[in-house]
Structure formats: structure tokens, C-alpha cells
Amino acid sequence: MATFELYRRSTIGMCLTETLDEMVQNGTLSPELAIQVLVQFDKSMTEALETQVKSKVSIKGHLHTYRFCDNVWTFILQNALFKNEDSQETVGRVKIVACDSKLLTQ
Amino acid sequence: MADQALEASQPVDLTKHPSGIVPTLQNIVSTVNLDCKLELKSIALQARNAEYNPKARLMFVIESLQRFAAVIMRIREPKTTALIFASGKMVCTGAKSEQQSKLAARKYARIIQKLGFPAKFKDFKIQNIVGSCDVKFPIRLEGLAYSHSAFSSYEPELFPGLIYRMKQPKIVLLIFVSGKIVLTGAKVRDETYTAFENIYPVLTEFRKNQQWYGSGSFSIGIGYTCPNPWIRNITNQYHCLYYFVFFHQL
């Protein structure tokens, strides 16, 4: 079953990848098992975001650039306002990478 | 954009536009051949403001789904959209003047050159000019359609505008009850201007006169009642461009 590997680029995903790489380097973990762990990470992240996360955020800003290729949207926003129910924050520059969740079930 | 602002501030040349109204150009569609094969995926990944969805299907009114293999790219100045095909052919839409369309097409060609392709600028051609204007009086579409039946197509239940296919010049006009007019099909702007000057006396002939009663469900002007009881309350809000092409993802 295909997974979205984009969550591996998050802070937690990068830490996991680094740790697994270290373990494979010094022989405590086989490369196949490391890949299995990462695939499970992808699945767990998707499931957690779908079922356990209820908060909604609205993002408004100036669209500097956009790209759509291989069914992945990449946006770069300038002066983006992230608005939550209780808080808001302005970020000078933000990159958004988005995949179509409908493609997971195909 | 500068030349449009100039046209608005200068008095209308009545020798060229006897009606006193000059249609405003709204959209120019042009094509050019970059004369080299292109790798669309590599362009989509490197260029900014690009979309590439080779699985997308182009859907026509007759509902035949055809593959749409092009990169859609946009630039901000002039504000335009380009469809770039693997064959090296390109379509440029959205410009408000012929010079802007050519300038935009050159900018897209330069982007393709910067990505490493030996792009040329062959056979640039304006394919369509769309203009619009407002005669500022309401029009009796039913009367016009009856009198000019050879050129008119008026089906208010399908579309609120009258479609007038002028033979000389070969221009299609969308005429609305409000007096707003859309002209499309010109390859040079003079065709748009001539078509409008040709239709203006006809529009004046079928001008809708003042209503005798208040804005109720009756629309009895002199010599005209709306035949269709369902649309007697037509408002004058209709003025829209309509496109037969839209994209569908499978």
C-alpha cells in the first residue's frame, strides 16, 4: 500500500530518519527493517492527523509562487497570517507542500 | 495598459467610431511556435507558477474527454496564462492588448530558454480578440432575433443573451437585455470596431422603451411583451462571458 512520505521531512520525521540511519550504520538495525519503520511512521502520521487532530487553522497571505506536479501542490506564501480559535501568528515566508488524500485510497 | 488609459481620457474619434462608443478589449488569445521539443515535467519542476497534470482530461460541450498534456504557466506582468505543449507550441491568453500578448509570449519563451531549451519565437499570431461595451439602453432581444433571424440565435431558457453571428466581418456578438455587448472572433481589433459600428444602428432600432407600469411582473413597452411568462421578471444583471472548456480530473 502506498504512503505519503512527506511527513518524513517534519522535525519528528527527520529525527527518526537520523536515528534509524545511525542504527543501520553501526549494524544494530537492518536496512529493510529501517524502511519498514519509516513506512509505519508514514501510516501512523496519516492516521493520527485524520482521527486525532480536530483543530482548524486558516492561512491567509500573498501567494509568491505555486507549483502543481505529480499531484503535489507546493505554495510559497509571504506575510502569512495563521489564525486559530484562540491565537494568531504572522510568518514572513512559509512553504506549504500538500498531497491529495484521495490518492491514498486508490 | 497605458494605451487603454490613453483611449479612455482622449475624446472618441467619431470618424472611426460614429456611435461614440469604443469597445474595450478584454482578452487576447495568441499562439507561437517555440520550434523545439520540450520536456514538460522538467519545466513544471523548475519554473515558478506552473501546473502539470498529464492525467487531466479536457472536456468539451459534446463531452468527449481528451487528454490534456500541457504545462499551465502564469506570469504577473502582463497578467496572462500560457499553455505550453511538448511539441513546442504555446498558447497565451489573458492579455488586454495585442502588444501585451506578444510581450507576455516573449517572456514565457525567455523562461523556457533559461531552463535550457533552444526556444525560438516562430509564427506569433493573434488568434482571437474579445471586446465588450455598454450601449447604456435596454434592448428588445426577441424583436431583434425575429427581424435578423438569419444571424440570430436567441434561446432565453438556455442562455440569456442573443448570439448574433455577423458575416462581415466574421464576428460573434453576445447581446444582452441590459445593453451590454460582448464581441469575439476578431483577429485584428478593427474587426471588433467595425462589427460594433455595424450592430449599433440595429441595437438602436430595437431599443426597449420606457415601461408604462412600475417594476412589477409586467413588462409592456411599446410593441413588446416578453413571451415567456417564466422570465418576465428578468433583471438587467446579465453580462457574462461563458467558456465551453473546463478541466476534469479522473
Side-chain angles (χ1 to χ4, degrees):
Chain A
M1 194 193 120
T3 57
F4 281 146
E5 296 181 14
L6 80 170
Y7 301 117
R8 296 186 198 181
R9 308 258 309 266
S10 64
T11 314
I12 190 169
M14 296 294 272
C15 291
L16 176 65
T17 311
E18 271 176 49
T19 311
L20 291 173
D21 277 345
E22 217 183 280
M23 290 172 80
V24 170
Q25 285 293 339
N26 61 30
T28 43
L29 194 67
S30 73
E32 299 83 20
L33 196 52
I35 293 173
Q36 255 188 291
V37 171
L38 285 170
V39 170
Q40 184 54 53
F41 169 77
D42 296 335
K43 288 186 192 167
S44 302
M45 276 298 283
T46 307
E47 213 223 289
L49 286 169
E50 261 175 61
T51 57
Q52 294 181 39
V53 177
K54 300 294 172 200
S55 61
K56 281 200 178 78
V57 169
S58 97
I59 310 168
K60 201 188 267 192
H62 172 71
L63 185 66
H64 180 258
T65 50
Y66 67 86
R67 177 175 291 120
F68 181 68
C69 195
D70 292 329
N71 284 301
V72 178
W73 276 106
T74 306
F75 304 110
I76 295 180
L77 300 187
Q78 277 173 334
N79 301 324
L81 178 69
F82 282 73
K83 218 177 196 175
N84 211 329
E85 280 119 55
D86 42 358
S87 64
Q88 65 182 47
E89 196 175 327
T90 312
V91 180
R93 197 183 148 98
V94 63
K95 185 184 215 175
I96 299 173
V97 180
C99 301
D100 189 351
S101 57
K102 285 197 286 273
L103 295 172
L104 279 177
T105 53
Q106 279 177 4
Chain B
M1 244 168 107
D3 53 348
Q4 268 196 349
L6 215 56
E7 264 184 51
S9 58
Q10 277 172 348
V12 176
D13 180 359
L14 291 174
T15 52
K16 195 172 177 206
H17 309 277
S19 64
I21 302 170
V22 183
T24 310
L25 301 191
Q26 300 288 3
N27 184 24
I28 312 282
V29 179
S30 61
T31 54
V32 72
N33 186 2
L34 302 177
D35 211 19
C36 66
K37 292 276 170 280
L38 301 174
E39 276 164 44
L40 298 186
K41 183 151 169 186
S42 124
I43 292 172
L45 289 171
Q46 292 178 267
R48 284 193 193 160
N49 303 324
E51 291 168 65
Y52 179 50
N53 190 5
K55 290 210 290 283
R57 297 267 190 265
L58 189 71
M59 195 158 114
F60 294 93
V61 172
I62 51 171
E63 297 194 23
S64 71
L65 297 182
Q66 248 181 45
R67 265 188 173 262
F68 183 66
V71 166
I72 306 168
M73 201 185 292
R74 292 180 177 88
I75 56 173
R76 287 193 159 98
E77 193 50 58
K79 186 154 164 252
T80 52
T81 303
L83 307 180
I84 303 168
F85 297 87
S87 61
K89 297 251 172 77
M90 183 171 82
V91 179
C92 175
T93 68
K96 299 282 192 203
S97 80
E98 304 89 317
Q99 302 93 296
Q100 279 187 23
S101 194
K102 192 165 195 178
L103 173 63
R106 283 201 195 277
K107 287 194 177 182
Y108 289 113
R110 211 170 313 141
I111 293 171
I112 301 297
Q113 272 175 0
K114 286 203 180 144
L115 295 179
F117 299 92
K120 316 276 184 320
F121 201 75
K122 231 176 92 170
D123 308 322
F124 174 81
K125 185 177 176 198
I126 303 282
Q127 299 288 359
N128 187 23
I129 297 176
V130 182
S132 73
C133 55
D134 187 357
V135 300
K136 302 229 178 4
F137 55 77
I139 300 164
R140 291 179 283 127
L141 297 185
E142 175 76 12
L144 202 167
Y146 183 74
S147 161
H148 290 247
S149 53
F151 311 99
S152 309
S153 165
Y154 179 46
E155 298 284 339
E157 280 168 36
L158 276 183
F159 184 67
L162 186 156
I163 304 168
Y164 193 100
R165 293 180 196 280
M166 194 174 284
K167 293 278 189 288
Q168 197 47 248
K170 190 157 172 282
I171 298 288
V172 175
L173 297 89
L174 305 180
I175 303 169
F176 297 91
V177 170
S178 59
K180 292 210 166 55
I181 316 293
V182 174
L183 304 97
T184 183
K187 291 266 194 291
V188 290
R189 65 163 73 187
D190 279 349
E191 284 171 8
T192 309
Y193 296 154
T194 307
F196 179 69
E197 292 304 323
N198 287 350
I199 205 78
Y200 190 70
V202 179
L203 300 176
T204 323
E205 187 190 339
F206 290 96
R207 178 181 189 141
K208 200 187 282 189
N209 291 308
Q210 295 284 43
Q211 288 182 207
W212 291 110
Y213 298 96
S215 59
S217 53
F218 288 96
S219 197
I220 303 174
I222 296 177
Y224 170 74
T225 34
C226 179
N228 187 333
W230 297 108
I231 56 163
R232 228 170 248 161
N233 283 333
I234 261 185
T235 65
N236 289 339
Q237 295 303 319
Y238 302 112
H239 60 283
C240 53
L241 292 170
Y242 62 116
Y243 295 98
F244 290 113
V245 176
F246 39 96
F247 304 104
H248 214 59
Q249 245 181 2
L250 278 181

